[in-house]
Amino acid sequence: MGVDRLGPPQLGMSAETADDRLRQAEETLAAIVANRVDGFVVKTSDGERVVLTDRGVERPYRVLVDAMNEGAATLAPGGSILYANRRFAISLATAVDAVLGANLFEYLEADEPAYFRSAVEEGLAWRGEVAMRDVHGKRFPALVSLTPLGLEGTVGVLSLLLTDLRERRRADALLAAGQLAQRIFDTASEAVVVCDASGVVQQANREAQVLCGGFDPSGMPFARAFELVAGDAAMGVDELLQGSAHRLQVGMRRSAGELRLLASAAPLTGEGGARLGSVVTLTDVTDLHAATQRLERHARRQEAAAELSQGALAGEALDALVRRARAVMDELLDGSSVRTIGSFRKGVELRPGPPAHAQVVRRDVRTHDRVLGLLEIDPGCGRALTPEALVFVDHVTSVLCMAAEQRSLHARLHHEAHHDPLTGLPNRVLLEDRLDQAIARARRDGTRVAVLFLDLDRFKHVNDTLGHQAGNDVLIQIADRLRRYVRKTDTVARVGGDEFVVIHGDLADDAAAEAVAAAVAEVLAGPIAVAGRTVRVRATVGVSAFPRDGDDTDALLTKSDSAMYYGKRGGRNTIRVYREDMSERAVARMAMEHDLEAALQAGELELFFQPQVSPLSGAILGVESLTRWRHPRHGWIPPTQFVPMAEEAGLVGDLGSWAISEACRVARPWTAGSWLRRVSVNVSPAHVARPGFAEAVRRSLEAGGLAPGHLELEITESVLMHDVGGVVRPLAELRELGVTIALDDFGLGYASFSSLGSLPLDRLKVDKSLIDTRSGLHASRDNQMAVLLGITTMARALGLQVTIEGVETLEELEMARRVGCDEVQGYLFAGPQPAARLGELLERGPLRPHTRDARAM
Amino acid sequence: MNAPAVQPSDDAGGTSYPAWHFRLYVAGQSPRSLTALMNLHALCHAYLQPGYQVDVIDLLDDPGRAAVDQVLAIPTLVRLSPAPRLRVVGDLTDVERVVQVLGMGTS
């Protein structure tokens, strides 16, 4: 096989010296003159062409001379130019025609050597450097050789070859560049290997020799000197050498482990594009490769942790999350073995032994107050986890802890939705549920159920003389007594400040109900030690019984309440069993209802507006409108009193419609030129469910000129207790228009987060009892914060805004800020204001908290 | 004639390469080309026994290859190794001169 020994890349091929070129031209010319050639290679626009000739030398001579890269001319004795080629004319900066017939001496500088002149004149061979001058008089150095042609009948005719030495300078520069390239080649930090076209190594620099094990691989096939494994099977090392691949990631096995190399190849071509071989550069990217792998693994870990937190947010069970966490750690911790210890359920105590060795990493999965389980990662083989791996472990752990905290918060919220925080007794929600069950059981078994409504007598007096804390202690002790007294199947609930309900099932007859009530009253009557004193608390008890007084929960509770009320009026500390005539309370109400109807006609109703402000800036963002009734005899009556009346009297629709129209009318001018964006109106579920409700609201908006986006309807949490179906459609319809919907009094226990999904909602108004720091309703401030945080977090997750109601102290404002609610409402900023006064407040700009005790106002 | 005329070297292993390596550019079977080829073999036989290698390149088949060694006239002989690269243009009839230019006598 033909093997070309090549020099360093590209060198020596294009950087021939001017001397070499001249010598080659002389050699060719001599052969032609001696008639030893019969073919010529002529460059045409289509590339090279071979011309064969057998017609003497004159023609081939001409052809050749024209094709040459050197200047050439034929000189008659005395220096006349008989013939010249293009290259010759170009050196003189003129055309061939202009040169023919001229004398060579015209182009020589005056200081040319005398022996050159005599050689020309006498037709002698000569070779040397002369100074020449082009047609513009520009001087240039040239290497000239004179050869007698020696053709028949041409004595004294010379052939002249001229190498323009301006080009030689260029060639020298090329040579210098070549040497530089050689030095670079020798000292390059990459391995550089020059291969010929058949893949045999011609040259290898120092790095390349190191790479293949410390010897010079020249003469060996490349593939044998460098045993490379292409990472991608589709593209091999052969392709690289043949020039169809330019860059390739390859591996190279060494005793110390596999190296990652980046191989790139550049073709070596001669003139005309012939492929002579290639220059292969091998760069050690082992470190880079490892770094890339680390980055990729980092990305996969991030992704895995993100997926895990999505699962956590979506409510996946903790033990399922732990299983997933274990699986991703198994995959992404470089072969570490991952073990979980514990059940990851609340209340299971952990007794882990010590870790097997010091490299084992342990992480607690815990809530703020207890450890639910452990993750244990053993890197094995005496290795330690990398810092990045530790970060990943911590990330996963924190996701699990967050999920654990959330689950525990959820459980707590659920418990709190059904229990009274002070005494831990069931609240009204759970009470009603239990009573439903008791009724169902009694109906099935043919037994009776007693409902006892207890109200402590003069409990306010205890609070006033001994303080809130003592009052709370009393309530707790009474709750304990009741709890201890009743049977396991009975229920004791706290339904108000000093109101309790006891359900006692399985009674044989109605008389038994009274006996139970007497026993309960007796239990309460015992002395209670509180705040270093002994107090006696008595209670008034109202009794109703199933089935005698009613056959559902509502009726039984109302009637026991009525009986208790009657008992109070009758002088307290008594037990009253419900009788029909006790409903006379309702009669008194009917008179009021009549008055209310009249009030609507007579314009005795007026809207007040309470600001809802940004907890941070105090800017008034919204106002809640509250209907006040100025009763001709009783004075101002708050809605908490007359709204239930209106509901019973069937006036709720008229009342609500009036409030909406009035709010639209009054608030419209406020929405321009202030931060105010919203006026809200309380509506009752019964009103919303009435046919034509949405249409009526739309008309009110139009009539008042208020944009729908500026109206908010507040519906109370208790709507969720009833049939939600009737209110959803009209609310959704209005919401389409832009009207926003708020759920009022959230947190009283009617609504759980899971039930919120059934209503079209924009805002939660958190009931004032939840922010209250002074009633002692909350077991601890931390506990209170946790509940508020839980509510705001969940609300955010549901896309709801949060307004906290009843903010009355700076401490409560600070809590509201910390839980990150959107707005607060309460006496700390402002109570309900008449319309004119509210207009003034809006003009004055953001509200500032009152520094005096707001409640005293 | 178009196939490269290769004189095998005496080295059967194939890992070492002949000290003398020529490339002869010809134009088909033109008279000078034939003469040059015969002369070259005679010269090599006389001066370079036993190891040499000749690649014959027919420019009628592939004129483009002339560019590799910047061949102008045919036949042209290029000495590839030993370095430096040298050339003799013509049919190699002038034996003494060829031997002198290519340094074959000193082998």
Side-chain angles (χ1 to χ4, degrees):
Chain A
M1 270 296 90
V3 175
D4 250 343
R5 281 269 170 192
L6 301 174
Q10 300 284 24
L11 304 185
M13 298 187 174
S14 56
E16 288 162 321
T17 64
D19 268 343
D20 285 341
R21 282 159 56 194
L22 193 61
R23 210 172 287 123
Q24 280 184 21
E26 282 172 347
E27 165 69 23
T28 305
L29 202 55
I32 295 165
V33 170
N35 199 19
R36 297 200 197 286
V37 301
D38 60 356
F40 298 90
V41 180
V42 181
K43 276 184 186 153
T44 71
S45 55
D46 298 330
E48 280 83 3
R49 202 152 61 81
V50 172
V51 178
L52 285 172
T53 176
D54 49 4
R55 285 180 288 163
V57 294
E58 176 58 15
R59 197 176 120 78
Y61 176 72
R62 287 281 169 89
V63 171
L64 171 72
V65 161
D66 280 342
M68 275 178 21
N69 273 328
E70 308 305 316
T74 310
L75 303 178
S80 297
I81 299 170
L82 297 175
Y83 174 75
N85 70 355
R86 248 169 54 76
R87 196 76 200 78
F88 185 85
I90 288 171
S91 282
L92 296 172
T94 185
V96 172
D97 290 347
V99 175
L100 297 180
N103 193 293
L104 179 68
F105 294 106
E106 293 172 30
Y107 304 113
L108 286 174
E109 286 285 8
D111 55 354
E112 98 284 356
Y115 38 85
F116 176 65
R117 179 178 287 269
S118 51
V120 173
E121 281 171 353
E122 293 166 29
L124 300 173
W126 189 85
R127 197 161 184 275
E129 193 174 324
V130 295
M132 296 195 69
R133 188 172 64 208
D134 70 12
V135 295
H136 306 302
K138 201 164 163 192
R139 183 189 172 102
F140 67 95
L143 194 60
V144 171
S145 100
L146 298 174
T147 310
L149 263 182
L151 294 173
E152 275 175 62
T154 58
V155 178
V157 174
L158 287 171
S159 147
L160 176 146
L161 287 170
L162 175 145
T163 300
D164 188 333
L165 288 178
R166 285 173 297 190
E167 291 185 10
R168 178 190 190 167
R169 305 275 137 81
R170 210 151 61 222
D172 288 347
L174 260 174
L175 196 65
Q179 283 162 353
L180 183 64
Q182 180 73 47
R183 248 198 326 277
I184 293 170
F185 173 78
D186 288 339
T187 59
S189 62
E190 290 92 8
V192 184
V193 184
V194 181
C195 295
D196 67 13
S198 61
V200 172
V201 175
Q202 297 298 313
Q203 278 208 338
N205 73 352
R206 201 166 40 79
E207 280 302 312
Q209 296 181 11
V210 170
L211 195 61
C212 66
F215 65 92
D216 184 354
S218 298
M220 284 176 75
F222 178 88
R224 219 162 70 207
F226 300 91
E227 290 181 35
L228 301 182
V229 191
D232 182 354
M235 272 243 209
V237 178
D238 289 350
E239 277 83 357
L240 194 72
L241 290 176
Q242 284 158 19
S244 46
H246 300 296
R247 262 171 173 284
L248 203 57
Q249 277 257 24
V250 292
M252 181 171 178
R253 264 181 222 111
R254 302 294 306 270
S255 51
E258 198 185 82
L259 291 180
R260 300 298 308 176
L261 301 174
L262 184 67
S264 62
L268 270 183
T269 47
E271 261 183 60
R275 186 175 175 80
L276 303 175
S278 36
V279 181
V280 181
T281 310
L282 299 167
T283 312
D284 187 346
V285 292
T286 311
D287 290 347
L288 191 67
H289 183 74
T292 312
Q293 275 196 330
R294 271 205 304 280
L295 269 179
E296 275 170 12
R297 199 170 40 214
H298 179 66
R300 292 230 309 280
R301 284 170 176 169
Q302 293 277 39
E303 209 175 307
E307 272 174 24
L308 209 57
S309 14
Q310 269 161 18
L313 286 175
E316 217 172 296
L318 185 61
D319 51 353
L321 283 171
V322 170
R323 275 198 299 280
R324 275 177 54 187
R326 204 181 134 170
V328 298
M329 289 196 294
D330 267 339
E331 187 196 333
L332 297 174
L333 285 179
D334 312 317
S336 302
S337 77
V338 181
R339 178 164 98 90
T340 56
I341 306 171
S343 67
F344 297 91
R345 283 198 200 93
K346 208 171 166 177
V348 179
E349 203 185 338
L350 288 174
R351 295 177 188 282
H357 55 84
Q359 310 294 2
V360 170
V361 169
R362 270 190 181 167
R363 289 289 182 271
D364 292 349
V365 174
R366 57 174 307 152
T367 66
H368 68 284
D369 61 352
R370 72 190 71 215
V371 176
L372 304 180
L374 290 180
L375 299 177
E376 189 178 275
I377 296 101
D378 184 354
C381 310
R383 293 179 302 165
L385 283 186
T386 62
E388 293 93 334
L390 267 180
V391 167
F392 174 58
V393 168
D394 286 341
H395 195 166
V396 168
T397 309
S398 72
V399 169
L400 294 177
C401 288
M402 184 194 80
E405 187 72 59
Q406 223 177 32
R407 303 297 174 273
S408 119
L409 179 65
H410 192 258
R412 210 154 68 226
L413 279 175
H414 183 81
H415 183 265
E416 272 157 20
H418 293 92
H419 291 83
D420 163 42
L422 179 66
T423 61
L425 290 178
N427 63 8
R428 182 178 279 270
V429 179
L430 193 52
L431 166 72
E432 293 182 6
D433 190 46
R434 294 270 176 87
L435 187 49
D436 283 344
Q437 290 173 26
I439 291 170
R441 219 170 23 246
R443 199 173 268 142
R444 194 185 59 218
D445 300 343
T447 55
R448 284 145 216 274
V449 179
V451 177
L452 317 181
F453 206 112
L454 286 77
D455 190 293
L456 306 186
D457 298 337
R458 302 188 206 285
F459 181 69
K460 191 170 175 299
H461 180 69
V462 175
N463 266 344
D464 292 348
T465 54
L466 301 178
H468 273 293
Q469 194 52 52
N472 287 342
D473 277 357
V474 170
L475 290 173
I476 290 167
Q477 293 194 39
I478 285 175
D480 282 345
R481 285 187 187 180
L482 290 173
R483 196 159 27 211
R484 274 201 305 273
Y485 173 72
V486 302
R487 298 166 303 179
K488 258 206 149 109
T489 49
D490 296 342
T491 298
V492 181
R494 181 174 178 223
V495 295
D498 55 358
E499 292 175 333
F500 298 85
V501 170
V502 175
I503 304 169
H504 194 97
D506 260 345
L507 289 176
D509 54 57
D510 294 338
E514 258 175 282
V516 170
V520 166
E522 193 55 40
V523 164
L524 291 188
I528 295 172
V530 64
R533 316 237 319 243
T534 300
V535 297
R536 279 182 187 276
V537 177
R538 302 200 185 278
T540 302
V541 184
V543 182
S544 67
F546 170 85
R548 187 191 63 200
D549 301 323
D551 61 357
D552 65 22
T553 301
D554 253 3
L556 290 171
L557 285 174
T558 309
K559 286 175 178 174
S560 62
D561 186 11
S562 294
M564 185 276 293
Y565 182 80
Y566 234 78
K568 288 271 185 197
R569 290 219 303 210
R572 306 173 196 255
N573 190 17
T574 60
I575 297 165
R576 286 296 163 101
V577 177
Y578 179 78
R579 292 190 318 269
E580 280 302 320
D581 61 356
M582 286 177 182
S583 66
E584 73 186 41
R585 264 167 101 190
V587 177
R589 274 194 177 184
M590 278 179 68
M592 284 284 258
E593 282 162 16
H594 178 263
D595 292 349
L596 178 60
E597 197 168 3
L600 264 172
Q601 314 290 335
E604 288 170 11
L605 297 175
E606 185 181 338
L607 284 189
F608 275 46
F609 298 89
Q610 185 173 25
Q612 298 168 330
V613 308
S614 157
L616 301 175
S617 70
I620 303 176
L621 305 176
V623 287
E624 178 179 0
S625 65
L626 299 154
T627 307
R628 290 289 166 92
W629 177 15
R630 194 199 303 266
H631 194 277
R633 291 188 311 281
H634 304 299
W636 289 111
I637 301 177
T640 44
Q641 283 184 24
F642 67 77
V643 168
M645 281 181 223
E647 276 173 1
E648 277 180 31
L651 291 173
V652 71
D654 305 69
L655 190 63
S657 300
W658 173 82
I660 291 169
S661 301
E662 186 69 1
C664 292
R665 188 182 67 77
V666 176
R668 199 198 69 79
W670 295 339
T671 56
S674 76
W675 292 106
L676 187 77
R677 284 293 164 267
R678 193 176 62 250
V679 58
S680 65
V681 181
N682 292 282
V683 291
S684 80
H687 184 197
V688 175
R690 273 158 63 141
F693 172 76
E695 183 51 36
V697 172
R698 205 193 321 250
R699 276 202 307 273
S700 298
L701 284 166
E702 274 173 25
L706 191 74
H710 289 151
L711 180 66
E712 182 159 281
L713 298 180
E714 292 189 16
I715 189 151
T716 89
E717 195 193 42
S718 66
V719 66
L720 292 164
M721 291 298 292
H722 309 292
D723 179 21
V724 175
V727 303
V728 169
R729 183 189 292 240
L731 290 182
E733 207 175 302
L734 287 168
R735 204 157 165 267
E736 285 280 291
L737 272 186
V739 174
T740 54
I741 313 293
L743 190 67
D744 206 2
D745 302 337
F746 182 77
L748 282 182
Y750 294 108
S752 61
F753 274 101
S754 55
S755 65
L756 291 185
S758 55
L759 274 181
L761 281 183
D762 301 282
R763 175 184 310 279
L764 287 187
K765 295 193 72 184
V766 177
D767 188 73
K768 58 179 181 295
S769 62
L770 296 186
I771 192 81
D772 189 344
T773 54
R774 299 190 293 181
S775 69
L777 278 171
H778 301 278
S780 74
R781 197 56 35 86
D782 283 350
N783 182 278
Q784 195 177 357
M785 275 299 286
V787 172
L788 286 170
L789 263 175
I791 288 175
T792 44
T793 307
M794 298 279 179
R796 290 266 179 283
L798 293 169
L800 301 177
Q801 298 245 311
V802 176
T803 301
I804 296 184
E805 291 186 273
V807 172
E808 300 185 354
T809 66
L810 288 173
E811 185 188 7
E812 289 166 2
L813 175 63
E814 185 50 35
M815 283 172 71
R817 284 177 177 159
R818 275 169 57 203
V819 301
C821 70
D822 300 285
E823 294 175 19
V824 296
Q825 181 177 343
Y827 282 90
L828 182 65
F829 286 100
Q833 311 285 332
R837 168 82 182 135
L838 190 89
E840 288 170 24
L841 287 182
L842 283 172
E843 278 179 25
R844 239 190 267 163
L847 296 182
R848 299 170 58 145
H850 295 292
T851 43
R852 284 179 300 144
D853 184 355
R855 263 182 210 175
M857 288 181 62
Chain B
M1 197 65 221
N2 287 345
V6 177
Q7 283 293 317
S9 78
D10 61 342
D11 188 339
T15 47
S16 77
Y17 295 89
W20 291 88
H21 187 189
F22 297 104
R23 196 178 280 155
L24 180 64
Y25 290 93
V26 300
Q29 302 193 31
S30 79
R32 304 288 175 211
S33 297
L34 286 174
T35 308
L37 195 59
M38 288 186 295
N39 282 333
L40 179 61
H41 281 295
L43 277 167
C44 290
H45 191 72
Y47 289 93
L48 302 178
Q49 277 294 359
Y52 64 91
Q53 177 174 341
V54 176
D55 302 331
V56 177
I57 292 163
D58 186 353
L59 293 178
L60 285 186
D61 280 348
D62 186 0
R65 295 188 68 177
V68 177
D69 287 303
Q70 291 148 7
V71 173
L72 296 173
I74 300 167
T76 290
L77 177 71
V78 177
R79 186 186 83 177
L80 298 172
S81 69
R85 194 174 290 226
L86 295 171
R87 73 173 62 210
V88 176
V89 181
D91 59 8
L92 312 178
T93 306
D94 189 349
V95 174
E96 270 182 35
R97 187 175 155 271
V98 173
V99 168
Q100 187 220 325
V101 168
L102 297 183
M104 293 166 88
T106 63
S107 168

